[in-house]
Amino acid sequence: MVTAHPVSVTALRTFSMFSGLPDSSLDPVAKVSNMRRVPRGSIVVRAGDKTDFVYLILSGSLKVLVSDEEGREVILSMLGPGELFGEMGVLDDNPRSATVVSVVPSDLIVIAKSDFKRVLQENFDVSMFIMRNLVARLRTDDRKIESLALMDVYGRVARLLLEMADEVDGQKVVNRKISKQDIAKMIGASREMVSRVMKDLHLQGLIEEANGKIHLRERLETV
């Protein structure tokens, strides 16, 4: 059983959508929020289910995927701290469009659909954040379609790594744990091909894998 815990205003303020709001605005949100820790491999939401909650990621990593009747999967995106999911069903009242699974143990803030709708109505800044987040998602999807249509596997792997990377001490680093199998499911290639590409990129000095992280060299952007 997943245990729920109260959420503090301090925890909410770590999210961009809430960072500029005063305590008087965040207190009501905290009262309707719960924190849940989910173990690795947990299905948090399932495609086709009714939308009841919005989820904000406090820590951990999750993957958003769709699958066919034969069990073949395509990973649409990887999510990490500071991101949210489930808001689409809140806006259009449709069932879940994808399944979300935890890659590692993750801490989530959970807000009921009706409560989150009230937050959107009462806080313009939060509504703007949601709209900007949806626009960013559309732009990402456009780039994915472009890469699938125009790039070879080398280019797709390189673009994905660059998009997932964070800036750390002037260097781009993929901090989120991601397997070669997951990369393959995200770019429409086989795991074997991704393994060969990653090995080749390493031999060329374009990437370096260490301690579960992938360090990217500047020349990777030219691949």
Side-chain angles (χ1 to χ4, degrees):
M1 175 179 289
V2 178
T3 304
H5 302 281
V7 175
S8 67
V9 167
T10 301
L12 289 176
R13 207 177 290 284
T14 61
F15 293 88
S16 299
M17 71 174 81
F18 296 133
S19 62
L21 299 181
D23 286 357
S24 58
S25 295
L26 286 179
D27 281 333
V29 180
K31 289 178 181 178
V32 297
S33 302
N34 284 293
M35 190 181 300
R36 295 180 186 172
R37 184 166 180 82
V38 296
R40 177 180 179 271
S42 299
I43 297 178
V44 182
V45 302
R46 192 185 301 272
D49 284 354
K50 181 181 177 181
T51 299
D52 293 321
F53 300 97
V54 174
Y55 299 84
L56 294 79
I57 305 171
L58 197 59
S59 68
S61 177
L62 302 98
K63 55 185 176 182
V64 183
L65 58 89
V66 293
S67 59
D68 61 18
E69 295 179 353
E70 298 178 2
R72 291 175 297 192
E73 296 180 348
V74 174
I75 295 178
L76 303 179
S77 63
M78 302 291 291
L79 303 175
E83 297 185 276
L84 77 159
F85 59 94
E87 77 280 17
M88 288 176 59
V90 168
L91 298 176
D92 65 9
D93 291 315
N94 281 324
R96 302 291 190 189
S97 59
T99 297
V100 181
V101 180
S102 56
V103 179
V104 297
S106 302
D107 292 312
L108 308 176
I109 291 177
V110 184
I111 305 176
K113 177 180 176 180
S114 58
D115 293 321
F116 194 74
K117 278 188 172 181
R118 188 168 64 252
V119 171
L120 295 180
Q121 292 171 351
E122 296 176 353
N123 295 281
F124 176 76
D125 289 340
V126 175
S127 296
M128 282 299 296
F129 178 91
I130 296 298
M131 285 189 282
R132 284 194 294 266
N133 190 65
L134 291 172
V135 169
R137 190 178 300 169
L138 285 172
R139 293 185 187 279
T140 298
D141 289 343
D142 285 345
R143 289 195 296 271
K144 287 181 179 178
I145 294 170
E146 175 193 354
S147 66
L148 287 172
L150 302 177
M151 290 184 170
D152 59 15
V153 177
Y154 274 83
R156 288 182 232 161
V157 170
R159 173 172 285 189
L160 177 63
L161 294 177
L162 288 166
E163 288 179 347
M164 293 186 65
D166 299 312
E167 194 81 21
V168 180
D169 297 328
Q171 183 182 8
K172 292 183 177 180
V173 181
V174 178
N175 289 304
R176 299 180 191 178
K177 183 178 180 181
I178 183 169
S179 67
K180 294 179 177 61
Q181 181 65 49
D182 284 346
I183 292 175
K185 291 179 180 179
M186 294 182 77
I187 67 169
S190 68
R191 183 191 184 284
E192 293 74 19
M193 177 59 76
V194 169
S195 295
R196 287 198 293 270
V197 169
M198 295 284 284
K199 181 178 180 180
D200 195 36
L201 292 175
H202 173 74
L203 292 174
Q204 294 182 55
L206 298 175
I207 66 172
E208 181 179 343
E209 299 181 69
N211 301 320
K213 300 180 180 180
I214 306 175
H215 298 260
L216 313 183
R217 306 308 178 202
E218 188 174 339
R219 290 186 298 120
L220 184 65
E221 298 186 28
T222 64
V223 172

